Amino acid sequence: MFINGQVTQGMDINHREVLLDRDAKTGMVYEIDLQAYTGIIYDEFRLLATAEEVDPEIAGLYYDMQVPLWSLARMDKESRTAQRISYELNQTVQQLDLRNPYSESFYRSVANARTYIKKAIYEDMGGYDDVIATCIGHTHIDVAWWWTVAQTREKVCRSFATVLKLMEEYPDYKFMSSQPQLYAFLKERYSEMYEKIKERVKERRWEPEGGMWVEADCNLTSGESLVRQFLHGKRFFKEEFGVENEELWLPDIFGYSAALPQIMKKSGIKYFMTTKLAWNQFNKFPNDTFLWEGIDGTKIFTHLITTLGIGQSTDDFFTTYNGMLHPDALMGGWTRY
């Protein structure tokens, strides 16, 4: 979506809303352009648009209640915690006066409900220090898969524009993304957006990380090719953003050369992250966090993401790099770990 000629945000089935203005005035005119692509999933593509005015207090109350409600799915319904959450949610609803929506008494009741749930759940029940979940935004973009490289050039623009928009709306939001090839595409296509990313990197809100030029195949390629992936990848991020990559980020690779630990260490890589071993149909890989020892004895600190899909049973050993920011996924990931 372009608003008044400016790249604003990517839109798809997961990104259906765009904040046009925090303080729109009567008579203001917005010129909206869409660059549309039907994709590969659906045979037809219908565009339906509406303009909405959002009240941040009402929306805030919705999420204040929705998040603990979502968390109940992974809990023992008879546990004290689950029963208390259910009770406090019910008490929160009781604060609402829905007899005359958008009246003064209605807005006052919304404020009362937010005050109640803040103390009852987020303060009195918060502060569980046994598990700390540290999360960062990420978009996994295949440089070439079911689409053409030309589409990848546009896809990176859509995805990175969405991230920049989120950073404007949510100052605490942080993001990481790998693959210098994507940044090179963006620099060539939308140089003004590329400069915005540079500013976010300086602010330590955007992490260009990942080690390689692309998230490379590690079964078919030679040792020389793998070395060059690190050489060009690390050099690009150092020259363009002033950062030194120390992590190999490969969430979606279908195999790993036993020479990689040695190549990583000699390339200045300290950590390795993946998840695809959990996609094995028959065997559960036994480790989550461990030292991977290569054929020459080199060891690299390695982590396999343990995130479950929302509602997925812990008996199913498939794990996903999609990592939806949802209580069910966080709790399932910890249980698996």
Side-chain angles (χ1 to χ4, degrees):
M1 175 180 280
F2 298 77
I3 299 176
N4 298 332
Q6 298 297 310
V7 177
T8 302
Q9 182 179 314
M11 301 195 73
D12 55 36
I13 58 174
N14 297 309
H15 303 90
R16 300 177 184 226
E17 298 178 353
V18 178
L19 180 64
L20 294 179
D21 201 324
R22 288 193 182 275
D23 189 25
K25 299 288 192 300
T26 302
M28 291 179 70
V29 176
Y30 300 89
E31 181 181 317
I32 298 174
D33 297 288
L34 293 172
Q35 185 182 63
Y37 169 61
T38 55
I40 56 175
I41 299 175
Y42 302 108
D43 292 329
E44 65 176 43
F45 189 90
R46 301 177 69 196
L47 176 66
L48 304 171
T50 59
E52 300 174 353
E53 183 180 356
V54 178
D55 185 296
E57 289 301 307
I58 298 173
L61 177 61
Y62 170 83
Y63 287 107
D64 288 347
M65 298 180 66
Q66 182 69 80
V67 171
L69 185 63
W70 273 331
S71 72
L72 291 173
R74 286 270 175 202
M75 293 186 187
D76 175 2
K77 300 302 183 292
E78 302 303 316
S79 69
R80 290 180 63 188
T81 301
Q83 290 189 359
R84 186 174 173 191
I85 287 175
S86 298
Y87 172 80
E88 299 297 3
L89 285 172
N90 190 54
Q91 291 297 107
T92 302
V93 172
Q94 297 300 322
Q95 306 293 318
L96 287 173
D97 182 352
L98 300 174
R99 291 172 297 179
N100 189 7
Y102 312 118
S103 65
E104 186 177 327
S105 60
F106 166 77
Y107 284 111
R108 189 164 52 245
S109 75
V110 169
N112 291 341
R114 294 204 75 186
T115 300
Y116 182 89
I117 196 171
K118 179 183 177 186
K119 183 176 190 310
I121 291 184
Y122 291 96
E123 293 178 5
D124 293 352
M125 296 185 70
Y128 184 73
D129 293 330
D130 290 18
V131 182
I132 303 296
T134 302
C135 307
I136 189 163
H138 174 65
T139 179
H140 174 66
I141 301 175
D142 290 299
V143 175
W145 185 45
W146 280 4
W147 47 78
T148 63
V149 175
Q151 268 305 316
T152 305
R153 291 175 182 270
E154 293 300 328
K155 173 61 181 168
V156 67
C157 297
R158 296 194 291 270
S159 295
F160 284 4
T162 302
V163 172
L164 290 170
K165 186 74 160 57
L166 287 169
M167 286 183 166
E168 285 179 14
E169 295 176 27
Y170 303 96
D172 294 332
Y173 179 61
K174 292 183 171 62
F175 179 80
M176 75 81 64
S177 193
S178 62
Q179 306 191 104
Q181 178 63 79
L182 299 177
Y183 292 82
F185 285 157
L186 184 74
K187 184 179 182 180
E188 177 186 332
R189 184 81 168 84
Y190 291 109
S191 57
E192 72 282 5
M193 197 190 309
Y194 188 77
E195 292 303 315
K196 286 184 181 178
I197 291 174
K198 281 192 165 184
E199 290 301 313
R200 296 293 179 250
V201 173
K202 288 178 186 175
E203 296 167 1
R204 301 178 66 85
R205 297 173 63 194
W206 186 303
E207 298 180 15
E209 178 64 87
M212 289 182 165
W213 180 259
V214 295
E215 292 174 11
D217 184 286
C218 296
N219 273 340
L220 299 176
T221 42
S222 67
E224 173 70 15
S225 177
L226 293 172
V227 169
R228 288 178 180 272
Q229 284 283 347
F230 287 111
L231 177 67
H232 290 285
K234 284 170 62 74
R235 179 188 290 165
F236 181 93
F237 279 152
K238 184 70 173 178
E239 292 178 352
E240 292 290 316
F241 301 104
V243 297
E244 188 68 55
N245 279 197
E246 295 184 326
E247 175 182 354
L248 177 56
W249 178 271
L250 292 180
D252 194 29
I253 298 303
F254 294 89
Y256 316 88
S257 166
L260 261 177
Q262 179 186 26
I263 295 172
M264 280 191 273
K265 193 149 196 176
K266 291 193 173 186
S267 301
I269 298 293
K270 298 178 181 177
Y271 316 106
F272 174 58
M273 190 290 299
T274 187
T275 189
K276 218 50 178 287
L277 285 173
W279 287 33
N280 189 303
Q281 267 180 285
F282 307 104
N283 304 312
K284 181 174 190 260
F285 191 77
N287 303 309
D288 299 315
T289 306
F290 56 97
L291 290 171
W292 176 20
E293 184 175 338
I295 50 179
D296 73 326
T298 299
K299 296 177 181 178
I300 289 287
F301 188 67
T302 298
H303 177 63
L304 269 63
I305 288 177
T306 60
T307 311
L308 300 182
I310 297 168
Q312 179 188 341
S313 169
T314 52
D315 295 332
D316 178 2
F317 59 78
F318 176 89
T319 56
T320 173
Y321 56 71
N322 286 332
M324 304 302 287
L325 197 57
H326 188 290
D328 186 278
L330 288 169
M331 295 162 75
W334 171 252
T335 303
R336 166 60 52 76
Y337 187 72

